[in-house]
Amino acid sequence: MNEAVLKNARNRSTQNQSQKKTSGIVQKKRMNREDFVVKSILFLCAMVSILTTIGIVAVLLVETLSFFKDVSLLAFLTDTKWTPLFKPEHFGILALLSGSVLITLGASLVALPLGLMTAIYLSEYADDRVRRVIKPILEVLAGIPTIVYGYFALTFVTPLLRVISPDMGVFNALSASIVVGIMILPMVASLSEDAMVSVPKSLRNGAYSLGATRLEVARKVVVPAAFSGIISSFVLAISRAIGETMIVTIAAGATPKLTLNPLESVQTMTAYIVQVSLGDIQHGSIEYKTIFAVGMTLFILTFLINLIAQWLKRRFKEEY
Amino acid sequence: MGQGNWRIRKITDRFAKIAFLCATLFGIAFLGVLLYRIVADGAGWLNWDFFTNFSSRFPAKAGVAAALVGSIWIVLLTGPIAFFLGVGTALYLEEYTKKSWFTRLIQVNIHNLAGVPSIVYGILGLAVFVQGLMLGQAVLAGVFTMSLLVLPIIVVSSQEAIRSVPQHMRNASYALGASKWQTISRVVIPTALPNILTGVILALSRAIGETAPLVVVGALTFVAFVPASPMDPFTVLPIQIFNWTSRPQDDFRAIAAAGIIVLLVVLLTMNLLAVYLRNKYQKRY
Amino acid sequence: MSIIQMKNVDLYYDKHHALKNITGEINERSITALIGPSGCGKSTFLRTLNRMNDMIQGVHIEGEILVAEQNIYHADVNVENLRKNIGMVFQQPNPFPKSIYDNVAFGRRIHGMRDRKELDEVVEQSLKAAALWEEVKDILKKPAYGLSGGQQQRLCIARALAVNPQILLMDEPTSALDPISTAKIEELIGELRKQYTIVIVTHNMQQAARISDDTAFFLQGEIIEFDTTEKIFHTPSDQRTEDYIAGRFG
Ligand SMILES: Nc1ncnc2c1ncn2[C@@H]1O[C@H](COP(=O)(O)OP(=O)(O)OP(=O)(O)O)[C@@H](O)[C@H]1O
Ligand SMILES: [Mg+2]
C-alpha cells in the first residue's frame, strides 16, 4: 500500500524535482525551532510595553525618593510656594498643582459643553452628508500639534483678550485655558458621539412615536442612555488637559502661584518640567530631582483619572 | 399637551438646533482662523533660504535646516523601530497566544500607556536613554523615547489590522501545508500591511508634532549644524518653532509661523499618504 | 483499495460530541461523497482528515485515522507535510489577495521551490489541470480578486493541486457558485478522479449521485450508512437514509 502511494507520487512528480525526499503522506515531524524562535521574539516585543511601564514607575520612584531625602513630604504637600531655582527654596507642589487645576478647569468649561453640543448635533441633527464633512475637520483639529496651538494662543487669543480686559498680562491662564479647551474639544466630541451613536434606534423611536421633539429625545433618551460613555469622554479629555504642555508653557507663563484667578500668570506642573529642562541642569542636583517629583505627581494624577475613565467605559459597555 | 405648548416645544427645538450647530461651527471657525493667521503671519518668510539656513540671531537669516533634518532623522529611525515593536506586539497578542491573564495584562497596560502624558515619556528617556545608557542628548535618545511614545498607538491599530484579516485566508494557507510563521509572514502580514502602515504613518505624524518629551530628553534649541549621525545632538521642527515663539521680537514670531507652515505641510503630506494607502487597498476580500 | 481508514473516531468541541464512533474506509482514486443534514458533522469530519481541526481551540479527538496505513494523529507526525499531501478546497472561494500566479505558486514556494522556470511550469500544469489555464494565461499577474466566483474556485483547486497532493478534500465547493460554474467544476472533479482520491461534501443529492463512487450518510455526528453511491441511492439499507435522500427531512 505504502509502496503504491510512493510509486504514484513519483509518477506524478515530473514537476517535482526540488522536493528531495518524496515519501509517504505521513512523515516524521522534523524538529521545529522556527515556531519557538518567532514566538520568543514576539514575546520580547510585547515585553517592551510592560518594561516601559515598569521603567516609568521605577525611574520616577527612585529619583522621587531621593528627592524626599532633601525635602520633607509634608513641606512638598503643604507649602504654598514653589521656588526651587532660587533662594529661599520652597518646594510646595500646590503652587504648580493649582496652575494645572486652573488650566484644566478653564479648558473643561470650554470643551465639555461645546464638545457635548457638537456630539449631539452630529449624532441627532446632522445628516450623513454634513457629518462626512464635519468629522474630518474635527480630526484635523485633533491632529494639529500643540506647539501650533501654543503659538496661536500667544499671538492671537491673548491679544484679543487684552482688548477686552486691558490690564491682563501677556502671560495668563485664561488664554491658555481656552486654547487647551479647543485642543481637547474634538476628543470630547468624537468619543461622546460614539457613545450616542451606539444608543439603539429603538429607544429613540419609542420617544419619537410619543411625539417628542429631537431636543427632548436627545435630552431625555440619548444623553441619559449614553451617560457613562459621555462622562468617560469628559474624564479622558480632562486627563489630556492636565498632561498638556506646550500651550501652557508658551501662553500661561512661568510663575508658580497658588491662585484660581484666570487673569494671572501661572505655571503648571508640565510647564515647570519644560522650564527646568531648557536650562542647564546638573544630573543629581535638587533641580534635576524636582523633575521627577513633579513628574511623579503628574503621573499619579493622570493614572488615577484614566482608571476612572476605563471603569466608566466598562460600565458603559455592559449597558447594551 | 395643548396646541400652544406644542408650538413652544417646537420653537425650543429649533433654537436648540441652532445652538448645537453654532457649537459645532465654533471649532471649525477656530481652525479656519488659526490656519489663516498662520499663513498670513508666516507665508512672507518662506523662501529657499529658509530651508537651507540654520537658526540665527537675525530673523532674516534664520531657517529650519537643522530642525527639518532633525525631524527627518527622528521619523526615519523611529518608524522602523516602532513598526517592529508594535507589529511584533500585535502579532504576539493576536496570533501567538491564547487569551489569558497575561495577555489581558499587556492589553490593559498598553491602554494605560496611551494615556500617559507625553512629557512623562520625556522623563523616562532622560533617565534611561540619556543618563542610563549614556547616549547623551543625541538623536538616538530622542528616537528611543519617541518609539516608546508611539508604541501603544501602533500596537492598537496593528491589532485591528491583523484582526480584520479573515480566518479563511489563514485556513487556505494552513491547508497547503504552511507553518504558522509562513502563514503569518506570507498571508497575514501582507494582507494587513496597508492598514498597519496607515496606523504607523498616523502615529509618526503624532511623533513629528511632539515637542515636550524631546525638550526633556535634551534636544537643543539652537543648533547650527545638521546631525550627521544618530549620536549627534539635534533639534526638531516643533522645538525650533517653540524657540522662535518664545522670543519677544515680532519678526521671530513671524518666522515661527513660517516654521509652522513647514511643519503643517509635512503633516499634511503624511496624512494624505495614509488616506491614499487606506483607499487604494480598501478591503477587497 | 482503501487509502484512508477511520477507526472509532470521536471528536468533541469542548463538551459537544460532534463525531461519534466514525469507522470506515475511503478508497483510493475514487470520489467519496459526504451527505447529511446541516450540522451533522460533515465539515468536521472532513477537517479531521487533514488535521485542520487542530486550528480550533477546545477540539479533542479520540480514535485513529490511518492514511497510507499510518496514524495521522500519532504524536510525531509532520502536520505540515500531511496537509501538503492532502489538499483542501473550501466552500467559499478564498484566494489570497495576490496575483493569480502567486496564488498558485504559493504552496510550492512555502515548500522551498525558488526556481522561476520550475514555478512557471507548476503554475501552468496546475491551472491546466483545474481547467482554468485558457481563461487566465494572459492575466497571470493580475489580482485573483478580478476573477469571477467560479473562476476563483477553480483557482483554489489549482492552488491545491500545485503542491501535488494525493488526496483532495472539498467542502461544498460549488455551493457558492452559479449552475454553469458548478457544471464546470463537476466536470473537472470527474477528470481529477483519475489521479486523485477525492472526498467531497455536498448538499446537492443530484451532485452526489452524478459524480461520486461511494457515499457516506451522516446524521447527528454518526455515519448511518456508508456504501457505494449506487447502493445508497437505490437500495439504502437504513430507513433514515432513504428518508433523507427522498427529501423527507434535512
Ligand atoms: N468551531 C466549532 N466550535 C464548536 N462547535 C462547532 C464548531 N464547528 C462546528 N461545530 C458544531 O459541530 C457540529 C457539526 O458541525 P459541522 O460544521 O461539521 O456540520 P456540517 O455537517 O458541515 O453542516 P453544514 O452542512 O451546515 O456545513 C454542529 O453542531 C456545529 O455547531
Ligand atoms: Mg459544513
Side-chain angles (χ1 to χ4, degrees), chain C residues 18-233:
Chain C
L19 292 179
K20 295 167 194 160
N21 197 24
I22 302 291
T23 300
E25 298 190 347
I26 290 172
N27 287 328
E28 195 179 3
R29 299 202 206 180
S30 69
I31 299 179
T32 303
L34 310 181
I35 59 170
S38 196
C40 65
K42 306 178 296 291
S43 301
T44 303
F45 172 69
L46 203 66
R47 286 196 301 262
T48 59
L49 300 180
N50 66 345
R51 293 191 54 174
M52 282 298 278
N53 281 321
D54 294 14
M55 237 49 95
I56 302 169
Q57 265 185 42
V59 168
H60 168 69
I61 297 172
E62 287 165 10
E64 284 187 351
I65 293 180
L66 307 185
V67 175
E69 281 163 3
Q70 302 200 41
N71 183 6
I72 61 171
Y73 282 93
H74 192 279
D76 56 31
V77 164
N78 179 342
V79 179
E80 277 110 50
N81 187 66
L82 177 80
R83 296 205 187 111
K84 176 174 161 300
N85 283 296
I86 306 182
M88 188 166 210
V89 176
F90 298 81
Q91 182 171 1
Q92 291 287 337
N94 57 355
F96 301 121
K98 301 174 188 286
S99 71
I100 293 170
Y101 184 97
D102 288 341
N103 262 281
V104 182
F106 183 89
R108 274 310 175 86
R109 282 190 171 131
I110 59 175
H111 294 114
M113 188 184 274
R114 290 275 171 278
D115 186 84
R116 187 77 204 188
K117 280 216 195 70
E118 279 182 291
L119 282 172
D120 286 348
E121 176 71 20
V122 169
V123 169
E124 183 174 341
Q125 291 299 330
S126 310
L127 285 169
K128 277 180 176 159
L132 190 59
W133 175 250
E134 289 304 321
E135 291 157 66
V136 301
K137 65 181 183 212
D138 300 323
I139 52 167
L140 290 175
K141 295 289 167 223
K142 292 268 165 58
Y145 285 105
L147 300 176
S148 72
Q151 288 175 321
Q152 287 188 15
Q153 193 63 303
R154 277 180 283 149
L155 177 68
C156 292
I157 294 173
R159 183 177 65 184
L161 296 180
V163 290
N164 212 13
Q166 294 161 54
I167 300 168
L168 206 53
L169 311 176
M170 302 179 139
D171 194 348
E172 302 183 40
T174 60
S175 68
L177 305 179
D178 63 276
I180 293 175
S181 307
T182 300
K184 276 208 175 123
I185 288 189
E186 279 186 18
E187 191 184 330
L188 168 62
I189 292 171
E191 278 300 307
L192 295 175
R193 148 205 278 132
K194 294 171 194 152
Q195 294 194 344
Y196 302 88
T197 304
I198 293 175
V199 185
I200 180 169
V201 174
T202 178
H203 272 286
N204 182 332
M205 290 307 117
Q206 288 83 30
Q207 186 172 62
R210 266 196 307 268
I211 63 175
S212 70
D213 302 304
D214 299 311
T215 297
F217 171 58
F218 279 70
L219 190 62
Q220 293 179 342
E222 286 178 272
I223 292 188
I224 300 297
E225 198 169 345
F226 189 1
D227 217 319
T228 62
T229 302
E230 177 73 24
K231 173 106 183 352
I232 295 269
F233 277 85

Side-chain angles (χ1 to χ4, degrees), chain A residues 24-36:
Chain A
I25 299 175
V26 182
Q27 226 179 47
K28 282 251 169 153
K29 205 191 273 184
R30 59 202 143 86
M31 279 292 284
N32 192 2
R33 290 232 186 78
E34 181 190 81
D35 208 45
F36 177 75

